[in-house]
Amino acid sequence: MIIDTNAAFTINRSPTALTPDQRRAVMESQPKFGDVFTDHMAVAQYTPEAGWHDCEITALAPFQLHPATSVLHYGQAIFEGLKAYAMPDGGISLFRPAMNAQRFALSAARMAMPQLPEDLFLASLKALVQVERDWVPKQNGSSLYLRPMMFSRDARLMTKPSASYTYAVIACPVGNYFPNGVAPVTVWISHEYIRAARGGTGEAKFAGNYAASYAGQAEAAAHGCDQVVWLDAIDRKGIEEMGGMNMYFVTKRDGKTTLVTPKASGSLLKGVTRDSLFTLAGDLGYAFEERRIDIDEWREGCRSGLITEAFACGTAAVIVPIGRAKSSADEDIVVNNGEAGPVAMQLRERLLAIQHGAAPDPHGWLMPVV
Ligand SMILES: *Cc1c(COP(=O)(O)O)cnc(C)c1O
């Protein structure tokens, strides 16, 4: 029987949940991003016969996996990332969770995994946040980070898509990504590695994309850079992404400010933040272009003054200004004198204000869950 996806998740409260005092101490210890987890998780199981079933909120606990479990060998694993924010009126809201639900379904399709219905995805987030409402930090810049995930569960070594899957959501209280003020990063543009190619897995939020990116990140670190910037796989000139974030450039010509982001032509992960900035650009009176931008344009633009800023964006850090870009011993692109630019900072403040309920939400991006 296919479950009724409107059915609420069954709630089994953890007998070992932290006391309010213990929880407060944990949250005040300024944990690193993704290091501290709340008491509960959402879990659901899939089999072809029963569809999605056993949907519950339960104590956070390790999974027991047979050594032949499919995900450990062939890697069918996808995830999402979004945040729950404490509202000024005491409520809690998610930011554009339907976009994450839709992207999760696209990622599943690409990895030959079953799709989780959008209402079940949203119900899992709502139920988990309701149970963990006291774990949602109240300070500006802080939030409860939610990590939905799905992995293949069959215990056999045959190379074909698993029949059974587990879906889960875990949650982490997270503070401001920049506790000491927004600091621009230096990036390494890799000519050695690529992240994704059209037709590959780059458009899916697929765990293996991250595994494949770590060597490039290590190359960046070895050159004294904070982050790696990926070029396209075909001519190795088009700018694609920075680490696990989308990128933007700000150009200024005859007093007109334009936001430019690389076109999603099949190898970019299309971020919810990237999409939100399309709209905010319009709200703030900036022109907006989604098109190819290559490394020569970046270099020349910074030299001529046409490109005034570069930054990356994503749920975890919101907006990260890029101060410098290197790709070889003699390539050193300096952006905005290495400082955070006004357009990046304005967009960052505007987006954070909407997310925290401190500014009006004209586009209906917040979904109240408590
Ligand atoms: C998640 C992710 C992003 C950012 O997406 P948001 O929805 O804005 O958080 C960008 N690039 C990659 C590779 C990602 O995995």
Side-chain angles (χ1 to χ4, degrees):
M1 187 197 77
I2 302 294
I3 62 142
D4 169 14
T5 55
N6 287 315
F9 272 59
T10 307
I11 293 173
N12 297 314
R13 284 190 182 268
S14 166
T16 57
L18 298 190
T19 65
D21 281 347
Q22 288 170 324
R23 192 175 54 229
R24 207 169 304 119
V26 168
M27 287 168 72
E28 280 167 6
S29 68
Q30 303 219 317
K32 281 210 204 101
F33 185 89
D35 260 7
V36 159
F37 302 93
T38 64
D39 300 302
H40 297 86
M41 61 180 178
V43 189
Q45 307 296 342
Y46 178 88
T47 59
E49 305 76 44
W52 289 103
H53 61 279
D54 287 354
C55 303
E56 59 172 348
I57 305 295
T58 187
L60 181 79
F63 294 122
Q64 277 208 5
L65 299 179
H66 188 284
T69 300
S70 157
V71 68
L72 302 177
H73 300 268
Y74 309 125
Q76 283 177 288
I78 58 171
F79 66 95
E80 270 303 326
L82 71 163
K83 288 172 168 175
Y85 300 88
M87 296 290 112
D89 68 1
I92 299 172
S93 292
L94 303 176
F95 185 74
R96 308 187 76 186
M99 286 201 78
N100 298 91
Q102 287 152 15
R103 188 168 67 189
F104 199 60
L106 286 175
S107 299
R110 178 62 185 83
M111 308 317 295
M113 298 166 87
Q115 299 201 355
L116 184 74
E118 184 173 325
D119 54 355
L120 195 56
F121 182 91
L122 296 176
S124 69
L125 302 177
K126 198 167 176 172
L128 184 63
V129 173
Q130 284 174 352
V131 168
E132 304 291 45
R133 63 175 73 187
D134 295 337
W135 277 100
V136 181
K138 298 206 166 46
Q139 306 86 326
N140 191 47
S142 300
S143 56
L144 187 68
Y145 182 79
L146 300 168
R147 168 53 61 86
M149 58 196 260
M150 193 206 304
F151 61 90
S152 54
R153 199 64 200 255
D154 285 4
R156 63 173 184 210
L157 296 180
M158 209 196 297
T159 54
K160 65 172 198 175
S162 177
S164 59
Y165 294 84
T166 292
Y167 167 72
V169 189
I170 54 177
C172 309
V174 295
N176 195 326
Y177 201 86
F178 293 108
N180 306 314
V182 176
V185 294
T186 298
V187 298
W188 177 258
I189 303 167
S190 181
H191 288 285
E192 179 74 16
Y193 299 103
I194 56 154
R195 190 191 84 91
R198 199 177 306 172
T201 60
E203 270 192 329
K205 214 161 170 79
F206 161 53
N209 289 341
Y210 280 75
S213 77
Y214 292 154
Q217 182 60 40
E219 183 198 3
H223 288 91
C225 296
D226 305 298
Q227 287 284 343
V228 60
V229 163
W230 305 107
L231 297 176
D232 76 280
I234 299 167
D235 61 13
R236 306 269 182 130
K237 277 185 170 291
I239 306 289
E240 298 243 300
E241 300 199 56
M242 181 190 93
M245 302 177 78
N246 295 119
M247 286 184 65
Y248 268 91
F249 295 85
V250 181
T251 66
K252 219 166 224 170
R253 186 181 270 137
D254 305 329
K256 180 176 150 204
T257 300
T258 304
L259 281 157
V260 183
T261 196
K263 192 172 168 60
S265 49
S267 50
L268 287 195
L269 193 290
K270 289 185 262 180
V272 177
T273 319
R274 173 181 183 272
D275 184 90
S276 304
L277 294 182
F278 297 174
T279 305
L280 288 188
D283 291 355
L284 295 169
Y286 299 131
F288 170 76
E289 289 172 6
E290 190 184 5
R291 62 167 169 85
R292 181 186 158 97
I293 175 161
D294 68 25
I295 183 172
D296 299 325
E297 182 179 353
W298 189 358
R299 183 189 310 110
E300 295 311 317
C302 284
R303 203 169 285 158
S304 70
L306 186 59
I307 291 180
T308 55
E309 297 178 43
F311 62 88
C313 65
T315 296
V318 191
I319 284 180
V320 178
I322 297 170
R324 271 172 97 162
K326 303 177 185 185
S327 68
S328 64
D330 46 63
E331 173 100 271
D332 190 358
I333 303 173
V334 179
V335 194
N336 192 38
N337 297 317
E339 286 161 24
V343 176
M345 295 309 284
Q346 181 192 26
L347 289 165
R348 183 183 161 81
E349 269 157 42
R350 175 61 70 103
L351 187 54
L352 277 167
I354 295 173
Q355 289 171 333
H356 285 277
D361 175 25
H363 308 292
W365 283 341
L366 293 178
M367 182 179 125
V369 287
V370 171

mmCIF file with all atom_site columns, all heavy atoms in Angstrom, residues 103 195 205 210 241 244-246 269 271-274 313-315, ligand 1:
data_model
loop_
_atom_site.group_PDB
_atom_site.id
_atom_site.type_symbol
_atom_site.label_atom_id
_atom_site.label_alt_id
_atom_site.label_comp_id
_atom_site.label_asym_id
_atom_site.label_entity_id
_atom_site.label_seq_id
_atom_site.pdbx_PDB_ins_code
_atom_site.Cartn_x
_atom_site.Cartn_y
_atom_site.Cartn_z
_atom_site.occupancy
_atom_site.B_iso_or_equiv
_atom_site.pdbx_formal_charge
_atom_site.auth_seq_id
_atom_site.auth_comp_id
_atom_site.auth_asym_id
_atom_site.auth_atom_id
_atom_site.pdbx_PDB_model_num
ATOM   1   N N   . ARG A 1 103 ? 14.117 20.248 -6.037  1.00 0.00 ? 103 ARG A N   1
ATOM   2   C CA  . ARG A 1 103 ? 15.490 19.892 -6.408  1.00 0.00 ? 103 ARG A CA  1
ATOM   3   C C   . ARG A 1 103 ? 15.831 18.477 -5.929  1.00 0.00 ? 103 ARG A C   1
ATOM   4   O O   . ARG A 1 103 ? 16.539 17.736 -6.609  1.00 0.00 ? 103 ARG A O   1
ATOM   5   C CB  . ARG A 1 103 ? 16.460 20.918 -5.821  1.00 0.00 ? 103 ARG A CB  1
ATOM   6   C CG  . ARG A 1 103 ? 17.875 20.759 -6.309  1.00 0.00 ? 103 ARG A CG  1
ATOM   7   C CD  . ARG A 1 103 ? 18.726 21.960 -5.931  1.00 0.00 ? 103 ARG A CD  1
ATOM   8   N NE  . ARG A 1 103 ? 18.919 22.062 -4.495  1.00 0.00 ? 103 ARG A NE  1
ATOM   9   C CZ  . ARG A 1 103 ? 19.471 23.123 -3.901  1.00 0.00 ? 103 ARG A CZ  1
ATOM   10  N NH1 . ARG A 1 103 ? 19.863 24.167 -4.615  1.00 0.00 ? 103 ARG A NH1 1
ATOM   11  N NH2 . ARG A 1 103 ? 19.632 23.154 -2.596  1.00 0.00 ? 103 ARG A NH2 1
ATOM   12  N N   . ARG A 1 195 ? 34.664 20.017 -11.736 1.00 0.00 ? 195 ARG A N   1
ATOM   13  C CA  . ARG A 1 195 ? 33.639 19.511 -10.817 1.00 0.00 ? 195 ARG A CA  1
ATOM   14  C C   . ARG A 1 195 ? 32.595 18.688 -11.548 1.00 0.00 ? 195 ARG A C   1
ATOM   15  O O   . ARG A 1 195 ? 32.127 17.677 -11.044 1.00 0.00 ? 195 ARG A O   1
ATOM   16  C CB  . ARG A 1 195 ? 32.941 20.690 -10.108 1.00 0.00 ? 195 ARG A CB  1
ATOM   17  C CG  . ARG A 1 195 ? 32.034 20.266 -8.956  1.00 0.00 ? 195 ARG A CG  1
ATOM   18  C CD  . ARG A 1 195 ? 31.159 21.410 -8.448  1.00 0.00 ? 195 ARG A CD  1
ATOM   19  N NE  . ARG A 1 195 ? 29.951 21.563 -9.251  1.00 0.00 ? 195 ARG A NE  1
ATOM   20  C CZ  . ARG A 1 195 ? 28.788 20.959 -8.995  1.00 0.00 ? 195 ARG A CZ  1
ATOM   21  N NH1 . ARG A 1 195 ? 28.660 20.195 -7.945  1.00 0.00 ? 195 ARG A NH1 1
ATOM   22  N NH2 . ARG A 1 195 ? 27.760 21.143 -9.793  1.00 0.00 ? 195 ARG A NH2 1
ATOM   23  N N   . LYS A 1 205 ? 22.171 17.378 -6.464  1.00 0.00 ? 205 LYS A N   1
ATOM   24  C CA  . LYS A 1 205 ? 22.859 17.556 -5.188  1.00 0.00 ? 205 LYS A CA  1
ATOM   25  C C   . LYS A 1 205 ? 23.219 16.154 -4.713  1.00 0.00 ? 205 LYS A C   1
ATOM   26  O O   . LYS A 1 205 ? 22.546 15.532 -3.891  1.00 0.00 ? 205 LYS A O   1
ATOM   27  C CB  . LYS A 1 205 ? 21.977 18.308 -4.189  1.00 0.00 ? 205 LYS A CB  1
ATOM   28  C CG  . LYS A 1 205 ? 22.805 19.206 -3.287  1.00 0.00 ? 205 LYS A CG  1
ATOM   29  C CD  . LYS A 1 205 ? 21.971 20.277 -2.613  1.00 0.00 ? 205 LYS A CD  1
ATOM   30  C CE  . LYS A 1 205 ? 22.781 20.985 -1.554  1.00 0.00 ? 205 LYS A CE  1
ATOM   31  N NZ  . LYS A 1 205 ? 23.709 21.995 -2.073  1.00 0.00 ? 205 LYS A NZ  1
ATOM   32  N N   . TYR A 1 210 ? 30.745 16.028 -4.123  1.00 0.00 ? 210 TYR A N   1
ATOM   33  C CA  . TYR A 1 210 ? 31.617 16.579 -3.078  1.00 0.00 ? 210 TYR A CA  1
ATOM   34  C C   . TYR A 1 210 ? 32.894 15.763 -2.960  1.00 0.00 ? 210 TYR A C   1
ATOM   35  O O   . TYR A 1 210 ? 33.994 16.318 -2.882  1.00 0.00 ? 210 TYR A O   1
ATOM   36  C CB  . TYR A 1 210 ? 30.849 16.666 -1.749  1.00 0.00 ? 210 TYR A CB  1
ATOM   37  C CG  . TYR A 1 210 ? 29.971 17.898 -1.759  1.00 0.00 ? 210 TYR A CG  1
ATOM   38  C CD1 . TYR A 1 210 ? 28.796 17.929 -2.498  1.00 0.00 ? 210 TYR A CD1 1
ATOM   39  C CD2 . TYR A 1 210 ? 30.371 19.056 -1.112  1.00 0.00 ? 210 TYR A CD2 1
ATOM   40  C CE1 . TYR A 1 210 ? 28.022 19.071 -2.575  1.00 0.00 ? 210 TYR A CE1 1
ATOM   41  C CE2 . TYR A 1 210 ? 29.607 20.198 -1.176  1.00 0.00 ? 210 TYR A CE2 1
ATOM   42  C CZ  . TYR A 1 210 ? 28.433 20.204 -1.910  1.00 0.00 ? 210 TYR A CZ  1
ATOM   43  O OH  . TYR A 1 210 ? 27.687 21.343 -1.993  1.00 0.00 ? 210 TYR A OH  1
ATOM   44  N N   . GLU A 1 241 ? 31.374 27.429 -10.639 1.00 0.00 ? 241 GLU A N   1
ATOM   45  C CA  . GLU A 1 241 ? 30.981 27.594 -9.235  1.00 0.00 ? 241 GLU A CA  1
ATOM   46  C C   . GLU A 1 241 ? 32.229 27.797 -8.380  1.00 0.00 ? 241 GLU A C   1
ATOM   47  O O   . GLU A 1 241 ? 33.350 27.564 -8.821  1.00 0.00 ? 241 GLU A O   1
ATOM   48  C CB  . GLU A 1 241 ? 30.254 26.341 -8.721  1.00 0.00 ? 241 GLU A CB  1
ATOM   49  C CG  . GLU A 1 241 ? 28.987 26.015 -9.479  1.00 0.00 ? 241 GLU A CG  1
ATOM   50  C CD  . GLU A 1 241 ? 28.061 25.091 -8.702  1.00 0.00 ? 241 GLU A CD  1
ATOM   51  O OE1 . GLU A 1 241 ? 27.694 25.438 -7.559  1.00 0.00 ? 241 GLU A OE1 1
ATOM   52  O OE2 . GLU A 1 241 ? 27.711 24.036 -9.243  1.00 0.00 ? 241 GLU A OE2 1
ATOM   53  N N   . GLY A 1 244 ? 31.207 24.632 -3.125  1.00 0.00 ? 244 GLY A N   1
ATOM   54  C CA  . GLY A 1 244 ? 29.806 24.215 -3.189  1.00 0.00 ? 244 GLY A CA  1
ATOM   55  C C   . GLY A 1 244 ? 28.868 25.392 -3.196  1.00 0.00 ? 244 GLY A C   1
ATOM   56  O O   . GLY A 1 244 ? 27.793 25.346 -2.600  1.00 0.00 ? 244 GLY A O   1
ATOM   57  N N   . MET A 1 245 ? 29.268 26.481 -3.862  1.00 0.00 ? 245 MET A N   1
ATOM   58  C CA  . MET A 1 245 ? 28.431 27.686 -3.910  1.00 0.00 ? 245 MET A CA  1
ATOM   59  C C   . MET A 1 245 ? 28.352 28.209 -5.339  1.00 0.00 ? 245 MET A C   1
ATOM   60  O O   . MET A 1 245 ? 29.276 28.014 -6.124  1.00 0.00 ? 245 MET A O   1
ATOM   61  C CB  . MET A 1 245 ? 29.024 28.786 -3.006  1.00 0.00 ? 245 MET A CB  1
ATOM   62  C CG  . MET A 1 245 ? 29.181 28.367 -1.550  1.00 0.00 ? 245 MET A CG  1
ATOM   63  S SD  . MET A 1 245 ? 29.969 29.653 -0.548  1.00 0.00 ? 245 MET A SD  1
ATOM   64  C CE  . MET A 1 245 ? 28.600 30.765 -0.302  1.00 0.00 ? 245 MET A CE  1
ATOM   65  N N   . ASN A 1 246 ? 27.275 28.913 -5.654  1.00 0.00 ? 246 ASN A N   1
ATOM   66  C CA  . ASN A 1 246 ? 27.144 29.568 -6.956  1.00 0.00 ? 246 ASN A CA  1
ATOM   67  C C   . ASN A 1 246 ? 27.885 30.899 -6.950  1.00 0.00 ? 246 ASN A C   1
ATOM   68  O O   . ASN A 1 246 ? 28.236 31.412 -5.894  1.00 0.00 ? 246 ASN A O   1
ATOM   69  C CB  . ASN A 1 246 ? 25.672 29.791 -7.294  1.00 0.00 ? 246 ASN A CB  1
ATOM   70  C CG  . ASN A 1 246 ? 24.914 28.491 -7.473  1.00 0.00 ? 246 ASN A CG  1
ATOM   71  O OD1 . ASN A 1 246 ? 23.965 28.211 -6.746  1.00 0.00 ? 246 ASN A OD1 1
ATOM   72  N ND2 . ASN A 1 246 ? 25.333 27.678 -8.418  1.00 0.00 ? 246 ASN A ND2 1
ATOM   73  N N   . LEU A 1 269 ? 24.947 23.427 -10.160 1.00 0.00 ? 269 LEU A N   1
ATOM   74  C CA  . LEU A 1 269 ? 23.896 23.144 -9.192  1.00 0.00 ? 269 LEU A CA  1
ATOM   75  C C   . LEU A 1 269 ? 23.131 24.458 -9.024  1.00 0.00 ? 269 LEU A C   1
ATOM   76  O O   . LEU A 1 269 ? 23.714 25.475 -8.631  1.00 0.00 ? 269 LEU A O   1
ATOM   77  C CB  . LEU A 1 269 ? 24.535 22.696 -7.864  1.00 0.00 ? 269 LEU A CB  1
ATOM   78  C CG  . LEU A 1 269 ? 23.660 22.059 -6.792  1.00 0.00 ? 269 LEU A CG  1
ATOM   79  C CD1 . LEU A 1 269 ? 22.707 23.049 -6.161  1.00 0.00 ? 269 LEU A CD1 1
ATOM   80  C CD2 . LEU A 1 269 ? 22.902 20.853 -7.316  1.00 0.00 ? 269 LEU A CD2 1
ATOM   81  N N   . GLY A 1 271 ? 21.266 26.901 -7.248  1.00 0.00 ? 271 GLY A N   1
ATOM   82  C CA  . GLY A 1 271 ? 21.006 27.182 -5.838  1.00 0.00 ? 271 GLY A CA  1
ATOM   83  C C   . GLY A 1 271 ? 19.730 27.986 -5.616  1.00 0.00 ? 271 GLY A C   1
ATOM   84  O O   . GLY A 1 271 ? 19.325 28.785 -6.462  1.00 0.00 ? 271 GLY A O   1
ATOM   85  N N   . VAL A 1 272 ? 19.137 27.768 -4.452  1.00 0.00 ? 272 VAL A N   1
ATOM   86  C CA  . VAL A 1 272 ? 17.979 28.555 -4.043  1.00 0.00 ? 272 VAL A CA  1
ATOM   87  C C   . VAL A 1 272 ? 18.428 30.002 -3.776  1.00 0.00 ? 272 VAL A C   1
ATOM   88  O O   . VAL A 1 272 ? 17.719 30.954 -4.095  1.00 0.00 ? 272 VAL A O   1
ATOM   89  C CB  . VAL A 1 272 ? 17.330 27.945 -2.780  1.00 0.00 ? 272 VAL A CB  1
ATOM   90  C CG1 . VAL A 1 272 ? 16.165 28.792 -2.284  1.00 0.00 ? 272 VAL A CG1 1
ATOM   91  C CG2 . VAL A 1 272 ? 16.879 26.511 -3.057  1.00 0.00 ? 272 VAL A CG2 1
ATOM   92  N N   . THR A 1 273 ? 19.619 30.162 -3.238  1.00 0.00 ? 273 THR A N   1
ATOM   93  C CA  . THR A 1 273 ? 20.143 31.505 -2.976  1.00 0.00 ? 273 THR A CA  1
ATOM   94  C C   . THR A 1 273 ? 20.389 32.227 -4.302  1.00 0.00 ? 273 THR A C   1
ATOM   95  O O   . THR A 1 273 ? 20.006 33.394 -4.473  1.00 0.00 ? 273 THR A O   1
ATOM   96  C CB  . THR A 1 273 ? 21.456 31.419 -2.171  1.00 0.00 ? 273 THR A CB  1
ATOM   97  O OG1 . THR A 1 273 ? 21.311 30.413 -1.170  1.00 0.00 ? 273 THR A OG1 1
ATOM   98  C CG2 . THR A 1 273 ? 21.786 32.745 -1.522  1.00 0.00 ? 273 THR A CG2 1
ATOM   99  N N   . ARG A 1 274 ? 21.022 31.530 -5.241  1.00 0.00 ? 274 ARG A N   1
ATOM   100 C CA  . ARG A 1 274 ? 21.261 32.079 -6.592  1.00 0.00 ? 274 ARG A CA  1
ATOM   101 C C   . ARG A 1 274 ? 19.955 32.575 -7.188  1.00 0.00 ? 274 ARG A C   1
ATOM   102 O O   . ARG A 1 274 ? 19.869 33.694 -7.687  1.00 0.00 ? 274 ARG A O   1
ATOM   103 C CB  . ARG A 1 274 ? 21.869 30.973 -7.454  1.00 0.00 ? 274 ARG A CB  1
ATOM   104 C CG  . ARG A 1 274 ? 22.034 31.270 -8.935  1.00 0.00 ? 274 ARG A CG  1
ATOM   105 C CD  . ARG A 1 274 ? 22.624 30.029 -9.624  1.00 0.00 ? 274 ARG A CD  1
ATOM   106 N NE  . ARG A 1 274 ? 22.888 30.252 -11.042 1.00 0.00 ? 274 ARG A NE  1
ATOM   107 C CZ  . ARG A 1 274 ? 21.980 30.044 -12.013 1.00 0.00 ? 274 ARG A CZ  1
ATOM   108 N NH1 . ARG A 1 274 ? 20.770 29.642 -11.714 1.00 0.00 ? 274 ARG A NH1 1
ATOM   109 N NH2 . ARG A 1 274 ? 22.326 30.258 -13.274 1.00 0.00 ? 274 ARG A NH2 1
ATOM   110 N N   . CYS A 1 313 ? 27.477 32.485 -3.396  1.00 0.00 ? 313 CYS A N   1
ATOM   111 C CA  . CYS A 1 313 ? 26.271 32.450 -2.566  1.00 0.00 ? 313 CYS A CA  1
ATOM   112 C C   . CYS A 1 313 ? 25.768 31.033 -2.372  1.00 0.00 ? 313 CYS A C   1
ATOM   113 O O   . CYS A 1 313 ? 25.920 30.183 -3.244  1.00 0.00 ? 313 CYS A O   1
ATOM   114 C CB  . CYS A 1 313 ? 25.187 33.327 -3.188  1.00 0.00 ? 313 CYS A CB  1
ATOM   115 S SG  . CYS A 1 313 ? 24.584 32.737 -4.777  1.00 0.00 ? 313 CYS A SG  1
ATOM   116 N N   . GLY A 1 314 ? 25.199 30.797 -1.199  1.00 0.00 ? 314 GLY A N   1
ATOM   117 C CA  . GLY A 1 314 ? 24.620 29.497 -0.874  1.00 0.00 ? 314 GLY A CA  1
ATOM   118 C C   . GLY A 1 314 ? 23.945 29.578 0.486   1.00 0.00 ? 314 GLY A C   1
ATOM   119 O O   . GLY A 1 314 ? 24.136 30.563 1.216   1.00 0.00 ? 314 GLY A O   1
ATOM   120 N N   . THR A 1 315 ? 23.172 28.570 0.827   1.00 0.00 ? 315 THR A N   1
ATOM   121 C CA  . THR A 1 315 ? 22.396 28.593 2.070   1.00 0.00 ? 315 THR A CA  1
ATOM   122 C C   . THR A 1 315 ? 23.271 28.740 3.315   1.00 0.00 ? 315 THR A C   1
ATOM   123 O O   . THR A 1 315 ? 22.950 29.515 4.218   1.00 0.00 ? 315 THR A O   1
ATOM   124 C CB  . THR A 1 315 ? 21.566 27.289 2.173   1.00 0.00 ? 315 THR A CB  1
ATOM   125 O OG1 . THR A 1 315 ? 20.640 27.289 1.097   1.00 0.00 ? 315 THR A OG1 1
ATOM   126 C CG2 . THR A 1 315 ? 20.827 27.199 3.496   1.00 0.00 ? 315 THR A CG2 1
HETATM 127 C C1  . LIG B 2 .   ? 23.920 23.313 -2.415  1.00 0.00 ? 1   LIG B C1  1
HETATM 128 C C2  . LIG B 2 .   ? 24.844 23.835 -3.451  1.00 0.00 ? 1   LIG B C2  1
HETATM 129 C C3  . LIG B 2 .   ? 24.827 25.185 -3.879  1.00 0.00 ? 1   LIG B C3  1
HETATM 130 C C4  . LIG B 2 .   ? 23.980 26.258 -3.227  1.00 0.00 ? 1   LIG B C4  1
HETATM 131 O O1  . LIG B 2 .   ? 22.628 26.001 -3.235  1.00 0.00 ? 1   LIG B O1  1
HETATM 132 P P1  . LIG B 2 .   ? 21.648 26.760 -2.229  1.00 0.00 ? 1   LIG B P1  1
HETATM 133 O O2  . LIG B 2 .   ? 20.321 26.155 -2.535  1.00 0.00 ? 1   LIG B O2  1
HETATM 134 O O3  . LIG B 2 .   ? 21.720 28.197 -2.534  1.00 0.00 ? 1   LIG B O3  1
HETATM 135 O O4  . LIG B 2 .   ? 22.139 26.446 -0.853  1.00 0.00 ? 1   LIG B O4  1
HETATM 136 C C5  . LIG B 2 .   ? 25.669 25.563 -4.916  1.00 0.00 ? 1   LIG B C5  1
HETATM 137 N N1  . LIG B 2 .   ? 26.520 24.698 -5.476  1.00 0.00 ? 1   LIG B N1  1
HETATM 138 C C6  . LIG B 2 .   ? 26.583 23.394 -5.084  1.00 0.00 ? 1   LIG B C6  1
HETATM 139 C C7  . LIG B 2 .   ? 27.539 22.487 -5.760  1.00 0.00 ? 1   LIG B C7  1
HETATM 140 C C8  . LIG B 2 .   ? 25.750 22.932 -4.064  1.00 0.00 ? 1   LIG B C8  1
HETATM 141 O O5  . LIG B 2 .   ? 25.835 21.649 -3.679  1.00 0.00 ? 1   LIG B O5  1
#
